[in-house]
mmCIF file of all heavy atoms in Angstrom:
data_model
loop_
_atom_site.group_PDB
_atom_site.id
_atom_site.type_symbol
_atom_site.label_atom_id
_atom_site.label_comp_id
_atom_site.label_asym_id
_atom_site.label_seq_id
_atom_site.Cartn_x
_atom_site.Cartn_y
_atom_site.Cartn_z
ATOM 1 N N MET A 605 119.838 136.675 123.340
ATOM 2 C CA MET A 605 118.984 137.775 123.991
ATOM 3 C C MET A 605 118.497 137.294 125.470
ATOM 4 O O MET A 605 118.546 136.141 125.897
ATOM 5 C CB MET A 605 117.816 138.019 123.175
ATOM 6 C CG MET A 605 118.185 138.776 121.795
ATOM 7 S SD MET A 605 116.828 139.249 120.747
ATOM 8 C CE MET A 605 116.324 137.755 119.960
ATOM 9 N N CYS A 606 118.183 138.281 126.251
ATOM 10 C CA CYS A 606 117.582 138.120 127.549
ATOM 11 C C CYS A 606 118.647 137.522 128.585
ATOM 12 O O CYS A 606 118.379 136.669 129.401
ATOM 13 C CB CYS A 606 116.397 137.290 127.563
ATOM 14 S SG CYS A 606 115.022 137.930 126.472
ATOM 15 N N THR A 607 119.995 138.042 128.426
ATOM 16 C CA THR A 607 120.991 137.690 129.339
ATOM 17 C C THR A 607 121.801 138.937 129.782
ATOM 18 O O THR A 607 121.762 139.906 129.013
ATOM 19 C CB THR A 607 122.029 136.617 128.633
ATOM 20 O OG1 THR A 607 122.411 137.117 127.488
ATOM 21 C CG2 THR A 607 121.422 135.285 128.426
ATOM 22 N N PRO A 608 122.464 138.878 130.916
ATOM 23 C CA PRO A 608 123.128 140.015 131.399
ATOM 24 C C PRO A 608 124.302 140.371 130.500
ATOM 25 O O PRO A 608 124.877 139.458 129.730
ATOM 26 C CB PRO A 608 123.712 139.569 132.689
ATOM 27 C CG PRO A 608 122.640 138.484 133.197
ATOM 28 C CD PRO A 608 122.315 137.787 131.952
ATOM 29 N N SER A 609 124.714 141.598 130.369
ATOM 30 C CA SER A 609 125.764 142.130 129.682
ATOM 31 C C SER A 609 126.272 143.480 130.301
ATOM 32 O O SER A 609 125.554 143.952 131.011
ATOM 33 C CB SER A 609 125.367 142.243 128.261
ATOM 34 O OG SER A 609 126.372 142.902 127.380
ATOM 35 N N THR A 610 127.364 143.990 129.804
ATOM 36 C CA THR A 610 127.846 145.265 130.186
ATOM 37 C C THR A 610 127.084 146.436 129.463
ATOM 38 O O THR A 610 127.086 147.555 129.795
ATOM 39 C CB THR A 610 129.278 145.430 129.945
ATOM 40 O OG1 THR A 610 129.599 145.141 128.582
ATOM 41 C CG2 THR A 610 130.115 144.521 130.893
ATOM 42 N N ARG A 611 126.247 146.108 128.407
ATOM 43 C CA ARG A 611 125.574 147.115 127.663
ATOM 44 C C ARG A 611 124.341 147.609 128.516
ATOM 45 O O ARG A 611 123.796 146.790 129.176
ATOM 46 C CB ARG A 611 125.146 146.526 126.280
ATOM 47 C CG ARG A 611 124.184 145.328 126.300
ATOM 48 C CD ARG A 611 123.902 144.840 124.984
ATOM 49 N NE ARG A 611 123.317 143.515 125.094
ATOM 50 C CZ ARG A 611 121.986 143.342 125.248
ATOM 51 N NH1 ARG A 611 121.161 144.359 125.595
ATOM 52 N NH2 ARG A 611 121.528 142.182 125.290
ATOM 53 N N GLY A 613 120.691 148.292 129.794
ATOM 54 C CA GLY A 613 119.490 147.669 129.485
ATOM 55 C C GLY A 613 119.489 146.143 129.429
ATOM 56 O O GLY A 613 118.408 145.595 129.448
ATOM 57 N N ALA A 614 120.574 145.550 129.564
ATOM 58 C CA ALA A 614 120.590 144.109 129.348
ATOM 59 C C ALA A 614 120.253 143.363 130.643
ATOM 60 O O ALA A 614 120.319 143.952 131.712
ATOM 61 C CB ALA A 614 122.108 143.596 128.887
ATOM 62 N N GLY A 615 119.911 142.132 130.606
ATOM 63 C CA GLY A 615 119.659 141.443 131.732
ATOM 64 C C GLY A 615 118.758 140.189 131.491
ATOM 65 O O GLY A 615 118.145 140.100 130.298
ATOM 66 N N PHE A 616 118.612 139.215 132.417
ATOM 67 C CA PHE A 616 117.574 138.151 132.314
ATOM 68 C C PHE A 616 116.242 138.611 132.378
ATOM 69 O O PHE A 616 115.953 139.680 132.989
ATOM 70 C CB PHE A 616 117.874 137.198 133.501
ATOM 71 C CG PHE A 616 119.091 136.380 133.494
ATOM 72 C CD1 PHE A 616 120.014 136.438 134.490
ATOM 73 C CD2 PHE A 616 119.343 135.571 132.376
ATOM 74 C CE1 PHE A 616 121.232 135.643 134.487
ATOM 75 C CE2 PHE A 616 120.650 134.752 132.339
ATOM 76 C CZ PHE A 616 121.537 134.901 133.434
ATOM 77 N N VAL A 617 115.264 137.888 131.705
ATOM 78 C CA VAL A 617 113.958 138.248 131.951
ATOM 79 C C VAL A 617 113.326 137.196 132.856
ATOM 80 O O VAL A 617 113.513 135.986 132.814
ATOM 81 C CB VAL A 617 113.181 138.078 130.536
ATOM 82 C CG1 VAL A 617 111.663 138.216 130.744
ATOM 83 C CG2 VAL A 617 113.844 139.168 129.649
ATOM 84 N N LYS A 640 116.573 144.290 126.556
ATOM 85 C CA LYS A 640 117.015 142.902 126.801
ATOM 86 C C LYS A 640 116.812 141.995 125.592
ATOM 87 O O LYS A 640 117.351 140.870 125.621
ATOM 88 C CB LYS A 640 116.141 142.343 128.009
ATOM 89 C CG LYS A 640 116.445 143.071 129.311
ATOM 90 C CD LYS A 640 115.692 142.587 130.530
ATOM 91 C CE LYS A 640 115.855 143.247 131.794
ATOM 92 N NZ LYS A 640 115.090 142.708 132.893
ATOM 93 N N GLN A 672 116.714 129.719 131.450
ATOM 94 C CA GLN A 672 116.801 131.011 130.808
ATOM 95 C C GLN A 672 115.596 131.066 129.795
ATOM 96 O O GLN A 672 115.301 130.235 129.128
ATOM 97 C CB GLN A 672 117.994 131.248 130.059
ATOM 98 C CG GLN A 672 119.305 131.420 131.027
ATOM 99 C CD GLN A 672 120.621 131.534 130.208
ATOM 100 O OE1 GLN A 672 120.431 132.002 129.132
ATOM 101 N NE2 GLN A 672 121.684 131.535 130.874
ATOM 102 N N LYS A 674 113.856 132.807 126.668
ATOM 103 C CA LYS A 674 114.359 133.427 125.377
ATOM 104 C C LYS A 674 113.112 133.991 124.531
ATOM 105 O O LYS A 674 111.909 133.359 124.697
ATOM 106 C CB LYS A 674 115.048 132.329 124.503
ATOM 107 C CG LYS A 674 116.376 131.734 125.019
ATOM 108 C CD LYS A 674 117.434 132.919 125.182
ATOM 109 C CE LYS A 674 118.602 132.492 126.168
ATOM 110 N NZ LYS A 674 119.448 133.686 126.496
ATOM 111 N N VAL A 739 132.270 135.419 128.050
ATOM 112 C CA VAL A 739 130.858 135.697 127.925
ATOM 113 C C VAL A 739 130.344 136.176 129.364
ATOM 114 O O VAL A 739 130.584 135.388 130.352
ATOM 115 C CB VAL A 739 130.129 134.539 127.456
ATOM 116 C CG1 VAL A 739 128.577 134.803 127.480
ATOM 117 C CG2 VAL A 739 130.484 134.084 126.115
ATOM 118 N N VAL A 740 129.878 137.398 129.368
ATOM 119 C CA VAL A 740 129.587 138.030 130.813
ATOM 120 C C VAL A 740 128.700 137.200 131.570
ATOM 121 O O VAL A 740 128.872 137.101 132.823
ATOM 122 C CB VAL A 740 129.127 139.386 130.518
ATOM 123 C CG1 VAL A 740 128.643 140.115 131.871
ATOM 124 C CG2 VAL A 740 130.126 140.233 129.881
ATOM 125 N N TRP A 741 127.574 136.571 131.033
ATOM 126 C CA TRP A 741 126.550 135.931 131.864
ATOM 127 C C TRP A 741 126.986 134.682 132.394
ATOM 128 O O TRP A 741 126.280 134.106 133.259
ATOM 129 C CB TRP A 741 125.259 135.874 131.076
ATOM 130 C CG TRP A 741 125.187 134.940 129.902
ATOM 131 C CD1 TRP A 741 125.349 135.362 128.557
ATOM 132 C CD2 TRP A 741 125.057 133.551 129.852
ATOM 133 N NE1 TRP A 741 125.359 134.222 127.710
ATOM 134 C CE2 TRP A 741 125.175 133.112 128.533
ATOM 135 C CE3 TRP A 741 124.824 132.575 130.784
ATOM 136 C CZ2 TRP A 741 124.934 131.783 128.096
ATOM 137 C CZ3 TRP A 741 124.591 131.191 130.342
ATOM 138 C CH2 TRP A 741 124.708 130.870 129.015
ATOM 139 N N LEU A 742 128.074 134.106 131.893
ATOM 140 C CA LEU A 742 128.593 132.855 132.540
ATOM 141 C C LEU A 742 129.534 133.263 133.698
ATOM 142 O O LEU A 742 130.396 134.139 133.509
ATOM 143 C CB LEU A 742 129.424 131.984 131.444
ATOM 144 C CG LEU A 742 128.536 131.323 130.370
ATOM 145 C CD1 LEU A 742 129.558 130.757 129.328
ATOM 146 C CD2 LEU A 742 127.791 130.177 131.008
#
Side-chain angles (χ1 to χ4, degrees):
M605 295 182 279
C606 305
T607 52
S609 171
T610 53
R611 60 181 168 81
F616 291 122
V617 174
K640 292 180 180 179
Q672 293 185 13
K674 299 300 170 187
V739 177
V740 173
W741 63 265
L742 285 172

